[in-house]
Amino acid sequence: MKKNKVIVVGGGMVGAATAVKLAQQGRDVTIIEKHLIDADDILSSDKVDIRISAINRFSEDLLDELGAMPLLRQNRIAPYQQLEAYQQQGENLLFDCHDIGETHLGHLIENSLIQASLWQQFSQYGIEVIEQTTPVTEISQESDSITLHYDDTQYTADLVVAADGGQSQLRSKAGLGVTGWQYGQHCMGVLIKLDAPQQVKTWQQFTPTGPVAFLPMQAPYANLICYHNASVLNRWNKLPTEQLKAQLIAHFPELPGEFELLEHAVFPLARQHANDYSQGRLVLVGDSAHTINPLAGQGVNLGFQDVVALAEVLAGHDDVGQHAVLKQYEKKRRRANLLMMSMMDACYFGFSNELQPLSWARSKFLKLANNIGPAKNWVLKYAISGTLS
């Protein structure tokens, strides 16, 4: 008997992409989601989301394949051509799309627009969405099925995909442990309205108190990212608008124009990696499996790579929940996820301190790296493609 029924728990960007990708394979897919959205309303709204993602070329290709990217191109979207990292001017590492024969490196897109564009595909593939606001109380498994229990309601499938985020209830209920830690700093994201033409370069400066970054959205909007210790950012978060703006101007001296502050938020930074990506007929994707320092905006790109890898190993199998097949997915993804997490940690710990010897070494490294063309271009191709080839 063909065992083809999939439940995806979590309808965020990665969960929605998983649902569409598996439905394209002919799977019978249901999404269980706590917070339903109105995709039409989001895509037609003028409200700009403070949460944005740097979508690389691999993710862009996936979103094209899933039917979401054409909708996004009709909405607020900002391709970027250059990515710069520096400690002080004259000591910069600049990546440029033209160095590797590309028209752009990626896009900066609001999370809500990505999610809504994926939700718009559900009706085409018969994907049912069930609102479930109560937590899962139990996960029970038989040799040929898995059942999720929510108070008096039960849902049975052949495969359950946990896409319910870094604090995954399903991962916890399944007893899948994690390894990780909280970083010493928090991060502030600030949505601004910028009096400047469309920007095509996103940059990151390493300062003694932590990195700051400029993410150009579709003009006139942009996002500012500032790392600092928790007490400082929590204090900033409570400042009147003009006082907060003064702090931002002091930390972002290279902005291309005057700006209006629209919204801001502070969140902690954490690294977390599941010890196993599956148990029986339950499998983890995205933040449920791994959360990463957002230093280079790779989190959702890793999640989209999970989606593709899971679909690849399931292709051709009548039973989507075979544990041996799910372990093949983990083998494909664990090394790549660990590599990217370790690279981000090396950057974070190497650049987020005030030690003078390290400051000198950082300066020399950035100058040297910028002048080693083949190695720099290899790193760039890996960052935008998500593969080592």
Side-chain angles (χ1 to χ4, degrees):
M1 178 194 292
K2 192 169 185 178
K3 303 193 68 59
N4 207 33
K5 182 171 177 55
V6 180
I7 292 175
V8 178
V9 179
M13 294 183 289
V14 173
T18 304
V20 177
K21 183 70 174 175
L22 296 185
Q24 287 181 334
Q25 288 186 338
R27 315 298 185 183
D28 176 7
V29 181
T30 298
I31 287 183
I32 296 177
E33 169 58 40
K34 183 185 296 185
H35 304 293
L36 301 190
I37 67 168
D38 185 328
D40 287 331
D41 184 60
I42 291 172
L43 291 172
S44 62
S45 174
D46 292 332
K47 179 173 173 54
V48 180
D49 192 354
I50 189 174
R51 302 165 304 150
I52 65 171
S53 293
I55 298 299
N56 65 20
R57 297 299 296 269
F58 177 96
S59 297
E60 179 184 346
D61 290 344
L62 174 63
L63 292 171
D64 258 321
E65 179 187 328
L66 301 181
M69 203 67 200
L71 290 176
L72 291 168
R73 291 190 182 100
Q74 298 169 23
N75 218 296
R76 292 183 298 272
I77 190 169
Y80 60 94
Q81 299 176 349
Q82 295 179 321
L83 189 159
E84 184 178 38
Y86 67 96
Q87 184 167 255
Q88 58 188 20
Q89 290 297 347
E91 303 173 351
N92 67 317
L93 174 59
L94 178 66
F95 297 103
D96 191 304
C97 65
H98 300 105
D99 292 340
I100 54 172
E102 298 286 352
T103 58
H104 59 283
L105 300 179
H107 289 86
L108 290 158
I109 313 175
E110 298 158 50
N111 290 5
S112 60
L113 295 179
I114 298 172
Q115 182 188 19
S117 296
L118 288 164
W119 277 53
Q120 285 285 60
Q121 314 308 311
F122 290 174
S123 60
Q124 177 182 350
Y125 297 103
I127 298 170
E128 180 185 7
V129 180
I130 298 173
E131 183 178 22
Q132 182 56 256
T133 58
T134 61
V136 62
T137 56
E138 183 185 352
I139 302 172
S140 59
Q141 299 202 46
E142 303 293 338
S143 61
D144 60 350
S145 67
I146 178 171
T147 301
L148 303 178
H149 302 257
Y150 295 85
D151 291 338
D152 296 329
T153 307
Q154 300 178 6
Y155 307 97
T156 299
D158 305 310
L159 170 68
V160 169
V161 180
D164 53 340
Q167 303 302 315
S168 171
Q169 293 179 2
L170 265 65
R171 185 189 64 226
S172 178
K173 280 294 180 183
L176 294 172
V178 296
T179 302
W181 57 78
Q182 294 283 332
Y183 294 97
Q185 293 184 315
H186 279 37
C187 182
M188 172 177 272
V190 184
L191 176 64
I192 65 171
K193 188 173 183 180
L194 185 65
D195 183 16
Q198 182 66 53
Q199 302 294 298
V200 297
K201 180 171 73 174
T202 178
W203 55 260
Q204 187 161 99
Q205 181 182 14
F206 299 103
T207 76
T209 56
V212 297
F214 172 72
L215 309 177
M217 304 163 67
Q218 187 181 82
Y221 302 103
N223 204 291
L224 307 180
I225 301 295
C226 185
Y227 286 62
H228 215 305
N229 67 61
S231 61
V232 170
L233 291 186
N234 286 327
R235 186 171 69 249
W236 286 11
N237 207 33
K238 299 174 183 177
L239 290 175
T241 299
E242 289 306 312
Q243 292 183 32
L244 175 57
K245 184 175 179 179
Q247 292 287 354
L248 294 172
I249 290 172
H251 281 74
F252 290 84
E254 301 299 325
L255 293 180
E258 176 59 35
F259 67 92
E260 175 187 353
L261 196 155
L262 301 179
E263 188 179 351
H264 51 90
V266 173
F267 53 91
L269 302 172
R271 167 179 168 152
Q272 186 172 268
H273 201 194
N275 297 332
D276 295 284
Y277 283 16
S278 65
Q279 184 202 69
R281 292 177 174 271
L282 172 73
V283 67
L284 311 179
V285 296
D287 285 354
S288 299
H290 45 80
T291 57
I292 186 173
N293 192 306
L295 192 63
Q298 289 296 316
V300 73
N301 294 309
L302 293 182
F304 284 150
Q305 290 169 41
D306 291 349
V307 173
V308 172
L310 179 61
E312 286 176 349
V313 300
L314 294 181
H317 289 278
D318 284 344
D319 185 355
V320 293
Q322 292 181 66
H323 187 59
V325 175
L326 300 182
K327 282 299 182 184
Q328 293 175 26
Y329 152 74
E330 177 172 355
K331 185 177 180 181
K332 286 172 71 78
R333 291 302 303 146
R334 176 172 286 278
R335 175 174 172 265
N337 287 332
L338 277 172
L339 175 60
M340 184 60 75
M341 295 168 81
S342 298
M343 287 173 61
M344 291 305 98
D345 280 347
C347 288
Y348 175 77
F349 290 116
F351 285 93
S352 296
N353 60 74
E354 302 179 70
L355 297 176
Q356 191 58 38
L358 272 179
S359 178
W360 178 86
R362 289 193 295 258
S363 173
K364 296 300 181 185
F365 168 78
L366 291 171
K367 286 182 178 179
L368 178 64
N370 195 57
N371 292 314
I372 305 178
K376 185 174 75 167
N377 291 343
W378 180 89
V379 170
L380 180 56
K381 288 179 180 179
Y382 171 56
I384 70 171
S385 70
T387 66
L388 294 171
S389 59

